[in-house]
Amino acid sequence: MNLLARLDQRQLDIGVHLAAVRDPRAGAVATFIGLVRNHDPSVPGEVMALEYSAHPDAEAVLNRLATTAAASHDVLAVALSHRVGLVRVGEPAIVVAVATAHRARAFEVCSELVESVKADLPVWKREVLADGSHVWVGLS
C-alpha cells in the first residue's frame, strides 16, 4: 500500500502526490486540490492569504485519516497533504490523490477523505485581508 500523509510548510506539489499513488493495478486516480481564494462570503474585504496553524497532534491525525481511507475496500494508494503557515491566494492548501481500480470508488474515497480532513483535522486558519486586518475562521 502506498501512503503519503503530511503537513507541509512548503508549497504542495501535485506531481509528488500523483507519483505517490502510481500503481499498475489502478484504473483511476481521483484528486482534489483545495485552493486559497480571494474572498470569503462571510467576511467583508479581499482575502490575500490564509495562515494555517496546527495542533501538535495534527500530523498524526492526518496520518490516521489517510490510513483509514487507504484501508477501505479497493483502495490501492492515498496521498494527502495539508499546508501550514502562510498560503497565498491561488496556492493549494490541501491536496488529495486516491488510486483505485475503478473511477467511481476513487471519487467516493477522495470525497470522503476531504470531508474527514475538514471535520477532524485540528488546524485553524486566519484570513489575512487586503486592508491589513485578519479574521480567524472556525473558532466558534
Side-chain angles (χ1 to χ4, degrees), residues 71-135:
S72 292
H73 176 69
D74 293 338
V75 174
L76 302 170
V78 170
L80 166 62
S81 296
H82 197 293
R83 283 288 300 272
V84 290
L86 191 69
V87 186
R88 299 194 186 286
V89 168
E91 293 181 349
I94 181 175
V95 174
V96 180
V98 176
T100 65
H102 303 284
R103 75 177 174 275
R105 186 70 178 135
F107 283 128
E108 177 184 15
V109 174
C110 186
S111 178
E112 289 170 359
L113 185 52
V114 170
E115 295 306 320
S116 294
V117 169
K118 182 112 174 124
D120 298 334
L121 186 65
V123 296
W124 303 275
K125 67 182 177 183
R126 184 174 72 115
E127 293 184 341
V128 180
L129 304 177
D131 67 3
S133 66
H134 68 271
V135 176

Side-chain angles (χ1 to χ4, degrees), residues 31-56:
T31 60
F32 174 80
I33 303 165
L35 303 173
V36 174
R37 63 180 181 236
N38 69 354
H39 67 283
D40 178 341
S42 65
V43 175
E46 182 181 3
V47 175
M48 301 303 291
L50 298 179
E51 187 170 14
Y52 287 94
S53 301
H55 185 278

